[in-house]
Amino acid sequence: MWICPKCGREFKRTNQSHYCGKAPKTVLEYINSQPIETQTRLTEMMIILQNSVPGVNERILWSMPYYEKEGKSISFSACKNHISFYVGDAAMERFSLELNNFVTKKNAIYFPYDRVLPTKLIESIAQWCLS
């Protein structure tokens, strides 16, 4: 058993990665809690996802932005050097050719902060995942 010295939470694994602070209540609150140099890209990501699929529900789940419609979901999170966009295995397979220029892991696509977000690709993935 390991106890985080910052927040006091207990974990089975030593140095378990986790979020110590209070979970944000809105996506904007989440974005504003991130380093200033990442906020522009995170805001762009939020706007793309809000506008890609009519009627999508936006909320915070697992302390990160989460978008759902009719039982289908996608989410994203801020990392040190990139935005992780969680889309699921089927989407990773469906868009594999378009994702050749990006690092991918399991069900996540990494969009580096120092590159322009691929708006059309993100819109296509969101529409495919949530429609």
Side-chain angles (χ1 to χ4, degrees):
M1 193 64 69
W2 175 73
I3 299 174
C4 174
K6 291 181 182 177
C7 68
R9 288 177 54 197
E10 293 184 13
F11 298 93
K12 292 180 182 178
R13 295 187 323 211
T14 302
N15 294 324
Q16 169 71 42
S17 176
H18 67 284
Y19 179 70
C20 287
K22 183 180 174 191
K25 292 183 177 155
T26 67
V27 174
L28 279 176
E29 189 177 312
Y30 175 87
I31 291 170
N32 290 333
S33 72
Q34 303 303 318
I36 191 78
E37 59 274 7
T38 66
Q39 291 179 13
T40 300
R41 287 283 183 261
L42 294 169
T43 301
E44 288 175 37
M45 186 72 167
M46 175 191 72
I47 291 167
I48 293 167
L49 296 176
Q50 288 173 337
N51 294 328
S52 294
V53 181
V56 69
N57 295 314
E58 175 185 81
R59 65 184 176 129
I60 296 292
L61 190 63
W62 303 299
S63 297
M64 64 183 178
Y66 181 85
Y67 297 81
E68 65 183 340
K69 184 173 180 183
E70 299 171 4
K72 301 172 186 173
S73 66
I74 55 177
S75 60
F76 72 89
S77 67
C79 298
K80 184 177 182 180
N81 298 313
H82 63 269
I83 297 172
S84 290
F85 184 35
Y86 303 99
V87 298
D89 296 336
M92 299 294 283
E93 186 176 324
R94 163 64 179 83
F95 292 93
S96 61
L97 292 177
E98 293 94 329
L99 298 174
N100 280 336
N101 295 327
F102 301 97
V103 173
T104 59
K105 303 265 173 129
K106 292 186 180 181
N107 66 343
I109 306 161
Y110 296 172
F111 296 123
Y113 292 121
D114 63 356
R115 289 176 54 190
V116 174
L117 285 175
T119 303
K120 295 294 182 197
L121 177 59
I122 295 169
E123 286 174 349
S124 295
I125 292 171
Q127 291 166 356
W128 188 85
C129 289
L130 300 174
S131 298

